[in-house]
Amino acid sequence: MIRFDEVTKVYRGTARPALNGVSLEILSGEFVFLVGASGSGKSTFLRLVLKEEKPSTGTIHVLGQDLGRISSRKVPYFRRNLGVVFQDFRLLPNKTVFDNVAFSLQVIGKSAGFIHEAVPDALQTVGLDGKAQRYPHELSGGEQQRVAIARAVVNKPAILLADEPTGNLDPETSGGIMALLERINANGTTVIMATHDAGIVDRLQRRVIEVIGGRVVRDERGGGYKTQATPIVTQGFGLGDAR
Amino acid sequence: MRLGLVISEVGQGLRRNLSMVISVVLVTFISLTFVGAAVLLQMQITQMKSYWFDRAQVAVYLCTEFSTVGGCDQQAATPDQVALVQAQLESETLAPFIDTFYFETQEEAFARFQEQFEGQAVADLITPELLPEAFWVNLIDPTQSDILVDALGGLVGVESIVDQRSYLEQIFAILNAASFTAIGIAALMLVAAALLIATTIRLSAFSRRREIGIMRLVGASNRFIQTPFIIEGVVAALIGSVLAGLAVVAIVQFFVQGYLAETLPLTSFVGLQDALLVVPLLIAAGAVLAALSANVAITRYLRV
Ligand SMILES: Nc1ncnc2c1ncn2[C@@H]1O[C@H](COP(=O)(O)OP(=O)(O)OP(=O)(O)O)[C@@H](O)[C@H]1O
Ligand SMILES: [Mg+2]
């Protein structure tokens, strides 16, 4: 489903790689936590999957396609297979909940008929069926994130990428969002979630990939946020990064 | 659905950037008006050239009592000398090049002079004796006046041979310079218009960066993202070009036909049908210019 082979990413104008020799494979239907300190390269990983950035070296396969071989004209069509959710929701403030979700279908040329079927469906999935005509500022943070998730899954993507989706939410609301993501995963969507939330990772006991300074230091099925050994390693790298 | 969406995006963009859009409209309006004026001026020059060059004659001026140049020695040309020139014009060597010619006496020249300079002080100073007799020659090919100069230039009694085209050349050189100036100004203004359109489109894209970000995220095609911006630039420029078209028509209708044609009734001027020929040209130029610069601007904006 997703395969990284010796992927290194060095941003232009920086010396230290944001990702360094990463090789891993994520299978269809998995739920993967991406953990690591700030600046360790989690968002970079997700951006590479989305082909928002291209690797400096190494190859990435997503859904059977070599991302290095997709022409920039074809990238939008590739992205239609992926849903993305961010910490800051990224909703359009001047559109209603319904229109925010519908917008993502309109701009990829879906018919009005399809939109009127799919959007209420997605809103129901995330538990917002009564609030379709609200505007984002009339919703709580948790509800806004649900709108963002509805937008990400309305086109039934094979993969859902979530970059700290609970970063702005209190623990209880986060719990609701996680239940939602688990439900989406149970329906067959591969979910990759970058997070700092130790409680969530420990509770769900899913596959955990830990990144430190751009390197994968742990890839564990059914793991927690930290193993016994890693805090020391993290500290060491953390000091090195501070310079 | 998609078309409706594109149209509403364009409308929003135009409204949000109203002041920039107005400046695009004005700059394309003025620059294309200059383009139109330059084109019309070229048409006018071509029209006048074909009119006047066809009628341009070569004058073979004969000596007067006062002339010292050419084959003259302060003696008026004698009837024999006049007859000799006429014989030359009718000779086998020259006749094939000459369409028609006629002789103008001093009295006829005086009458023409009086008519031409009527009401001006110089008309009172001139007497018939001062004006030379002349043969007025219409050549079959008006460019071949050198043949006459070669054949008649050395004859006694011939003062000078003047091709009217040389006067016309000067007038047309001035008109040409004017039209090239207009073209130069138009070109500079068009550059300004193109840059302004590009800036406006970038600004418009910037003010919609949220939408653009989401469109890219969910996989809207590049063309779908770009089209509203390009249409936005084209619409603004089209308003400017239509105004320029109206201005050109108005200039021809009210200034050229209404004023110039009445003041100078003997000259033929560009008319409404010429102006109507220029209008589609201006509109097409405006649309193409806007589409190109908006396209470049939005493509570059989306790449970074
Ligand atoms: N566009 C960019 N240009 C240059 N450097 C970048 C860019 N984006 C990220 N980086 C650098 O790459 C490294 C990894 O960044 P990344 O955003 O992937 O970290 P992260 O793990 O997502 O951090 P956080 O948990 O704070 O979101 C950091 O050192 C960051 O400064
Ligand atoms: Mg990040």
Side-chain angles (χ1 to χ4, degrees):
Chain A
M1 176 122 291
I2 298 176
R3 199 172 81 231
F4 275 50
D5 289 307
E6 286 302 317
V7 171
T8 296
K9 172 67 187 178
V10 184
Y11 285 105
R12 198 202 307 241
T14 63
R16 202 177 58 86
L19 278 185
N20 199 346
V22 171
S23 297
L24 55 82
E25 183 156 13
I26 293 171
L27 302 176
S28 181
E30 276 193 293
F31 194 120
V32 179
F33 286 117
L34 213 54
V35 302
S38 204
S40 54
K42 305 182 295 294
S43 299
T44 301
F45 180 92
L46 297 179
R47 278 204 289 274
L48 286 171
V49 173
L50 200 55
K51 201 168 159 59
E52 269 191 18
E53 297 284 350
K54 58 170 185 284
S56 310
T57 60
T59 55
I60 301 173
H61 285 80
V62 176
L63 296 166
Q65 284 175 287
D66 181 348
L67 294 197
R69 292 174 177 277
I70 300 182
S71 71
S72 56
R73 216 163 44 82
K74 290 275 163 57
V75 169
Y77 301 93
F78 161 73
R79 289 199 184 135
R80 292 178 190 183
N81 304 307
L82 282 73
V84 198
V85 183
F86 297 95
Q87 180 174 0
D88 57 358
F89 319 138
R90 304 206 184 167
L91 301 177
L92 298 173
N94 55 346
K95 287 191 193 295
T96 63
V97 166
F98 184 95
D99 289 341
N100 261 287
V101 179
F103 182 72
S104 68
L105 293 176
Q106 286 167 345
V107 300
I108 60 172
K110 295 289 186 193
S111 72
F114 180 86
I115 290 170
H116 281 274
E117 295 266 313
V119 174
D121 221 33
L123 289 179
Q124 193 173 11
T125 308
V126 301
L128 281 180
D129 20 1
K131 300 186 169 152
Q133 294 313 315
R134 300 264 195 107
Y135 284 88
H137 65 87
E138 299 169 339
L139 298 174
S140 72
E143 287 167 335
Q144 290 189 42
Q145 191 60 293
R146 285 169 188 270
V147 179
I149 294 172
R151 181 179 65 197
V153 300
V154 68
N155 198 28
K156 308 249 179 290
I159 300 171
L160 179 64
L161 305 176
D163 197 350
E164 302 183 33
T166 59
N168 277 344
L169 306 174
D170 64 67
E172 199 179 326
T173 314
S174 298
I177 295 292
M178 289 317 297
L180 174 56
L181 291 181
E182 287 201 275
R183 196 136 42 81
I184 290 166
N185 176 241
N187 286 334
T189 302
T190 308
V191 178
I192 303 167
M193 170 170 160
T195 186
H196 288 296
D197 195 327
I200 289 173
V201 179
D202 288 339
R203 188 153 47 78
L204 264 63
Q205 291 294 305
R206 300 293 193 136
R207 179 175 173 186
V208 177
I209 297 174
E210 181 168 356
V211 197
I212 296 178
R215 288 185 180 278
V216 175
V217 297
R218 175 163 66 105
D219 186 349
E220 183 178 20
R221 272 164 223 275
Y225 189 72
K226 285 172 181 161
T227 61
Q228 228 69 54
T230 44
I232 302 152
V233 181
T234 311
Q235 254 177 22
F237 272 88
L239 285 175
D241 287 353
R243 266 181 293 152
Chain B
M1 193 75 202
R2 279 180 63 139
L3 188 68
L5 193 68
V6 168
I7 290 172
S8 87
E9 298 259 318
V10 170
Q12 267 183 34
L14 289 173
R15 252 174 289 132
R16 201 168 344 197
N17 272 320
L18 197 59
S19 62
M20 287 298 273
V21 169
I22 289 173
S23 55
V24 167
V25 168
L26 290 180
V27 171
T28 41
F29 166 35
I30 293 170
S31 56
L32 288 174
T33 304
F34 268 97
V35 172
V39 172
L40 283 176
L41 197 51
Q42 276 299 329
M43 284 177 155
Q44 177 70 36
I45 291 170
T46 316
Q47 193 166 329
M48 279 168 73
K49 261 188 180 161
S50 68
Y51 182 86
W52 286 110
F53 275 5
D54 280 353
R55 285 162 183 72
Q57 296 169 313
V58 181
V60 181
Y61 290 113
L62 302 173
C63 296
T64 63
E65 291 169 42
F66 308 99
S67 54
T68 55
V69 294
C72 306
D73 189 15
Q74 294 197 328
Q75 274 208 322
T78 61
D80 284 352
Q81 289 167 349
V82 175
L84 190 68
V85 172
Q86 176 155 5
Q88 282 284 341
L89 289 173
E90 288 165 350
S91 71
E92 275 176 28
T93 39
L94 288 185
F97 298 103
I98 292 173
D99 184 17
T100 58
F101 72 89
Y102 62 88
F103 183 70
E104 186 182 57
T105 63
Q106 287 185 316
E107 279 71 28
E108 285 164 348
F110 181 70
R112 194 165 54 81
F113 189 89
Q114 290 293 332
E115 192 185 336
Q116 209 166 12
F117 292 94
E118 195 181 346
Q120 297 181 32
V122 61
D124 300 331
L125 296 173
I126 294 293
T127 57
E129 295 76 51
L130 289 172
L131 294 172
E133 297 173 321
F135 283 101
W136 288 97
V137 183
N138 287 66
L139 292 169
I140 289 172
D141 177 355
T143 61
Q144 291 178 324
S145 61
D146 283 351
I147 294 173
L148 288 186
V149 176
D150 287 345
L152 306 175
L155 291 184
V156 181
V158 174
E159 185 194 72
S160 60
I161 295 157
V162 175
D163 187 349
Q164 283 185 326
R165 284 168 62 96
S166 63
Y167 298 133
L168 294 173
E169 300 276 359
Q170 284 174 21
I171 294 170
F172 288 128
I174 292 169
L175 286 176
N176 253 329
S179 95
F180 283 130
T181 309
I183 289 172
I185 294 172
L188 284 180
M189 303 266 311
L190 285 177
V191 170
L195 293 177
L196 197 61
I197 290 168
T199 308
T200 307
I201 292 310
R202 264 203 300 275
L203 205 69
S204 180
F206 183 74
S207 68
R208 295 221 299 268
R209 61 193 179 285
R210 273 170 173 277
E211 280 90 341
I212 292 178
I214 290 167
M215 286 196 251
R216 303 181 82 177
L217 211 59
V218 302
S221 68
N222 291 336
R223 194 196 308 201
F224 182 84
I225 298 176
Q226 291 171 5
T227 306
F229 294 101
I230 295 171
I231 294 180
E232 198 178 313
V234 171
V235 167
L238 271 183
I239 298 172
S241 356
V242 169
L243 288 179
L246 290 178
V248 165
V249 169
I251 287 172
V252 168
Q253 176 76 355
F254 298 111
F255 177 69
V256 177
Q257 291 297 334
Y259 172 77
L260 282 183
E262 304 231 318
T263 319
L264 306 166
L266 289 182
T267 317
S268 103
F269 285 104
V270 286
L272 214 50
Q273 67 272 33
D274 297 304
L276 291 179
L277 224 62
V278 174
V279 170
L281 191 88
L282 296 184
I283 290 177
V288 169
L289 178 85
L292 285 182
S293 60
N295 196 355
V296 169
I298 191 66
T299 308
R300 289 186 52 174
Y301 178 90
L302 290 178
R303 204 167 46 209
V304 285

